[in-house]
Amino acid sequence: MLDSRLNRLSLVSTPVLINALEFAEQSLEIHDKIRASNLSGLRDVLFSGDSEIKYRLAGRHAARDKPSLRLEIRGTLELICQRCLGRFAYPLSVNRYFELVADESALPESDLADDEVDYLVIDPAMDVVGLVEEEVLLALPMALRHEDYCTGSANVSHGRKPSPFQVLEGLKVSTKNLEN
């Protein structure tokens, strides 16, 4: 079994299909690992495709007796820093709760008070890997870059790249000196 699991991880993202309603009603659970490179939406931002994402999807009935899914995703992605183009380790931690609804007309009008609940339309052939990929993409920051400083060649000598405003101020001072 271990050999077949390793082979599956090396394949291009194999769909894992479940009947979402039956999965929730029977309180089933699935957990697995996915190579980050198998998620097509991530390929352009990955520094290394060796990263693995672990996920756990559990079905259950919600407090209001509605079928629901809980999705947990963990891992560290090796991304490309948009500032220095170097390796950027991004810790991934997603914990999402979905209530299942029959169709889009069953979605609540506005539920701004409860940011913890999202809704999914019941799908008899829901792609779990596709759901994981969507949630990973939503969890990524808008700007994929190092928080404090970059280690790329442009920043090695000074530790930090100068602010564009500092550069403009320097040009302004240089221009004044030339005029005098």
Side-chain angles (χ1 to χ4, degrees), residues 84-100:
C84 71
L85 302 179
R87 182 184 307 254
F88 165 52
Y90 183 76
L92 187 65
S93 179
V94 176
N95 194 7
R96 298 293 300 253
Y97 174 78
F98 302 98
E99 278 189 15
L100 299 177

Side-chain angles (χ1 to χ4, degrees), residues 40-46 80:
S40 60
L42 287 177
R43 287 187 189 137
D44 291 341
V45 297
L46 288 175
I80 299 169

